[in-house]
Amino acid sequence: MAESAERSGQRRVRPAPLVFEPAEATADPEHFFDLESIEDPKELLSRATELTLAFRAATDRAIEFQAVAAAQLADPKRFDRLTAADVAERAAWTEDYARKMIEFGQDLIRTNGRRAEG
């Protein structure tokens, strides 16, 4: 699970928003968020860094959603509850990782999405 700035007591940095590219732009394999058209290395570094931070934030957020979903699927109160092995199979995880994600999701649910300090 990704360590976030929030976990260390800092607020999350709001990165540049990800903008969806038009279909014709994504058809070109060399095209990536228009970075290839930036000639100034300072501007390129700045925009590439913004994208890196945005992708990291998106990854962290997606992992949290995965964990919550895994915890919900494994909830013992559900009549159709899944085992950790079932969750692992659906998500292409190892069973051990699924158990950790279920636990992480339970913590997120219990704290309304706020990560526990520590």
Side-chain angles (χ1 to χ4, degrees):
M1 287 166 271
E3 176 94 14
S4 74
E6 188 177 54
R7 179 169 272 183
S8 65
Q10 301 170 349
R11 294 188 69 201
R12 285 187 186 176
V13 176
R14 289 281 180 199
L18 292 176
V19 179
F20 291 97
E21 298 183 278
E24 61 273 2
T26 58
D28 178 3
E30 297 300 315
H31 187 83
F32 188 73
F33 288 91
D34 211 27
L35 292 179
E36 70 286 344
S37 69
I38 300 174
E39 294 184 20
D40 177 16
K42 290 177 186 173
E43 184 182 344
L44 178 59
L45 178 60
S46 177
R47 181 62 182 144
T49 301
E50 287 176 348
L51 284 170
T52 299
L53 293 173
F55 285 127
R56 285 181 188 157
T59 299
D60 287 348
R61 195 74 176 118
I63 289 170
E64 290 172 355
F65 277 104
Q66 281 183 310
V68 168
Q72 290 171 338
L73 288 169
D75 187 342
K77 293 180 243 166
R78 289 178 60 111
F79 77 93
D80 60 345
R81 134 191 177 138
L82 298 180
T83 65
D86 294 331
V87 171
E89 185 178 335
R90 285 178 181 243
W93 296 333
T94 65
E95 191 172 340
D96 184 53
Y97 186 74
R99 277 193 218 89
K100 291 176 183 179
M101 288 294 279
I102 291 167
E103 182 180 311
F104 179 47
Q106 291 167 337
D107 289 344
L108 288 172
I109 291 168
R110 188 173 26 260
T111 61
N112 288 324
R114 291 184 301 275
R115 294 183 182 182
E117 295 288 327

